[in-house]
């Protein structure tokens, strides 16, 4: 049996929690909050798969290989696009977010929201791999000494480091080129006026793109291509015990070079491909805002179509001029991933 005081307590808790839940739901429905959470979760998933595959390659030779690293990051990106593609565009990459803002495809006021979500997701993924997957393996592999270079170095599990055969500025150029190719191909995959990936296959095609870039261009610098992939894990290793050595020489290149590379890749596509494709004119209405839209606005289907109006005789002198415009859904070219 339940006492009267117990029933009263339950009712009071419901009365207290109901406004709180309603307020939380209202907050979660705000566009900025939804986009922040989408970037956070998609970047987290991508980085858990990617960093986990690197840990397997470094710490357990029979459990991983360079191919598995590329597959881990590639399909991590695929899962991230599935998770957030229709909410935030699933950038998961500060360089792509920067380029979208520079080109006017996204408002600059959203830039810090996206970056914060990506950085937090990447940092938390690093912590997840360290504490839940590879802590004991790292200690056993390194003999308890967390080092950045040398035969038992483990900092490379989390961030990229320049190999001995590369110089700093050659590495910078490499990151610019690799990120430029990434952005160039992303525009081709998602450009509806060209030859885009089939509807529903974009996430898989983008994941395959990451795998191919890693297999063909990843040897020199580890193809960071992404400040959100490299800088937060580097901060984590600094905090976790690897020390200030993680910020020597190379650390700024995976932050700056991808920003430049993504922008140049976008310009190359627009100049050599995008501007040569005939574009249908945009039809804009004062009552609608197209800024930051990620999916086309389709005309609503009316369940009760209007009846055919009675013909009215209009003299040629009074006949209004008619301008034919393409359907709204065919005349808007909007941002994707």
């Amino acid at each position: 049996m339940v006492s009267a005081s117990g029933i009263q307590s339950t009712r009071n808790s419901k009365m207290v929690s109901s406004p709180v839940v309603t307020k939380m739901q209202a907050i979660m429905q705000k566009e900025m909050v939804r986009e922040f959470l989408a970037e956070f979760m998609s970047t987290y998933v991508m980085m858990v798969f990617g960093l986990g595959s690197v840990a397997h390659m470094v710490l357990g030779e029979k459990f991983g290989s360079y191919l598995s690293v590329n597959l881990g990051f590639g399909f991590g990106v695929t899962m991230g696009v599935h998770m957030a593609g229709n909410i935030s565009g699933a950038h998961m990459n500060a360089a792509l977010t920067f380029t979208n803002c520079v080109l006017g495809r996204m408002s600059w006021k959203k830039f810090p929201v996206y970056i914060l979500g990506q950085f937090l997701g990447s940092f938390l993924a690093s912590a997840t791999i360290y504490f839940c997957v590879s802590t004991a393996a790292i200690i056993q592999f390194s003999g308890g000494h967390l080092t950045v270079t040398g035969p038992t170095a483990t900092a490379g599990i989390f961030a990229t480091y320049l190999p001995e055969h590369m110089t700093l500025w050659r590495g910078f150029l490499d990151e610019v080129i690799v990120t430029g190719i990434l952005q160039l191909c992303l525009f081709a995959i998602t450009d509806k006026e060209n030859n885009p990936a089939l509807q529903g296959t974009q996430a898989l095609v983008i994941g395959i793109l990451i795998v191919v870039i890693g297999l063909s261009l990843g040897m020199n610098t580890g193809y960071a291509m992404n400040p959100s992939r490299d800088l937060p894990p580097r901060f984590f290793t600094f905090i976790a015990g690897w020390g200030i050595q993680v910020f020597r020489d190379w650390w700024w290149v995976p932050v700056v070079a991808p920003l430049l590379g993504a922008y140049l890749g976008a310009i190359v596509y627009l100049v050599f491909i995008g501007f040569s494709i005939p574009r249908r004119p945009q039809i804009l209405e004062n009552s609608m805002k197209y800024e930051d839209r990620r999916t086309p606005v389709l005309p609503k289907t009316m369940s009760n179509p209007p009846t055919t109006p009675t013909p009215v005789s209009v003299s040629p002198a009074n006949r209004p001029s008619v301008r034919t415009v393409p359907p709204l859904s065919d005349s808007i070219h909007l941002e994707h991933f």
Side-chain angles (χ1 to χ4, degrees):
M1 295 181 66
V2 180
S3 64
S5 60
I7 296 175
Q8 185 66 26
S9 176
T10 303
R11 289 177 178 176
N12 290 338
S13 63
K14 288 182 178 180
M15 293 177 63
V16 172
S17 62
S18 180
V20 174
V21 171
T22 303
K23 187 175 181 179
M24 288 295 297
Q25 290 176 341
I27 293 174
M28 297 289 284
Q29 290 301 314
K30 291 183 178 180
E31 183 180 17
M32 288 281 198
V33 176
R34 293 175 65 243
E35 290 172 343
F36 166 80
L37 293 175
E39 287 297 310
F40 170 78
M41 289 304 304
S42 58
T43 306
Y44 175 80
V45 169
M46 174 191 73
M47 292 297 292
V48 164
F49 288 165
L51 297 183
S53 64
V54 178
H56 278 67
M57 180 185 71
V58 173
L59 303 176
E61 295 181 0
K62 63 181 180 180
F63 296 110
S65 64
Y66 184 69
L67 175 60
S68 68
V69 171
N70 294 298
L71 291 173
F73 272 108
F75 286 100
V77 169
T78 294
M79 293 299 106
V81 173
H82 277 298
M83 183 170 296
N86 215 32
I87 301 173
S88 66
H91 293 183
M92 299 177 284
N93 187 332
L96 304 186
T97 303
F98 171 79
T99 301
N100 275 284
C101 291
V102 172
L103 296 179
R105 297 188 169 205
M106 194 177 85
S107 172
W108 279 104
K109 69 181 181 181
K110 292 188 177 183
F111 182 76
V113 176
Y114 274 59
I115 300 304
L116 181 60
Q118 294 164 14
F119 276 34
L120 287 178
S122 184
F123 186 90
L124 184 60
S126 303
T128 300
I129 294 301
Y130 179 75
F131 289 112
C132 301
V133 178
S134 57
T135 304
I138 288 175
I139 294 174
Q140 181 179 2
F141 178 82
S142 64
H145 302 287
L146 302 180
T147 58
V148 176
T149 59
T152 59
T154 50
I157 294 173
F158 301 93
T160 61
Y161 293 88
L162 200 64
E164 293 181 357
H165 70 273
M166 291 291 291
T167 63
L168 183 67
W169 290 106
R170 285 181 60 194
F172 184 93
L173 181 61
D174 186 271
E175 280 293 314
V176 170
I177 293 174
V178 172
T179 312
I181 291 175
L182 170 66
Q183 181 67 83
L184 180 74
C185 294
L186 286 176
F187 269 19
I189 291 170
T190 58
D191 187 354
K192 287 191 171 183
E193 300 293 336
N194 192 2
N195 186 25
L198 296 176
Q199 185 67 29
T201 67
Q202 297 97 330
L204 179 60
V205 174
I206 292 172
I208 294 174
L209 170 64
I210 301 299
V211 174
V212 172
I213 289 177
L215 291 174
S216 57
L217 300 170
M219 178 181 70
N220 288 333
T221 62
Y223 71 110
M225 304 187 297
N226 183 356
S228 303
R229 175 262 177 271
D230 200 85
L231 189 58
R234 198 178 297 273
F235 270 113
F236 174 79
T237 54
F238 170 72
I239 296 171
W242 275 266
I244 196 64
Q245 292 294 321
V246 300
F247 286 109
R248 291 195 63 182
D249 300 330
W250 171 255
W251 72 271
W252 62 273
V253 175
V255 177
V256 178
L259 300 179
L260 177 60
Y263 178 71
L264 293 178
I267 294 301
V268 168
Y269 182 86
L270 293 176
V271 171
F272 290 94
I273 303 296
F275 291 160
S276 64
I277 301 174
R279 305 281 176 174
R280 299 182 182 183
Q282 292 187 354
I283 307 300
L284 301 179
E285 298 180 10
N286 294 332
S287 60
M288 298 186 65
K289 295 181 180 179
Y290 294 107
E291 182 182 0
D292 299 330
R293 294 293 182 91
R294 282 160 293 280
T295 54
V297 180
L298 301 178
K300 294 182 179 179
T301 303
M302 294 182 290
S303 58
N304 297 318
T307 58
T308 304
T310 304
V312 178
S313 177
V314 181
S315 63
N318 298 326
R319 183 173 299 158
S321 61
V322 178
R323 181 172 64 93
T324 303
V325 296
L328 182 59
S329 61
D330 294 333
S331 60
I332 303 174
H333 180 70
L334 299 168
E335 175 210 350
H336 284 261
F337 307 122

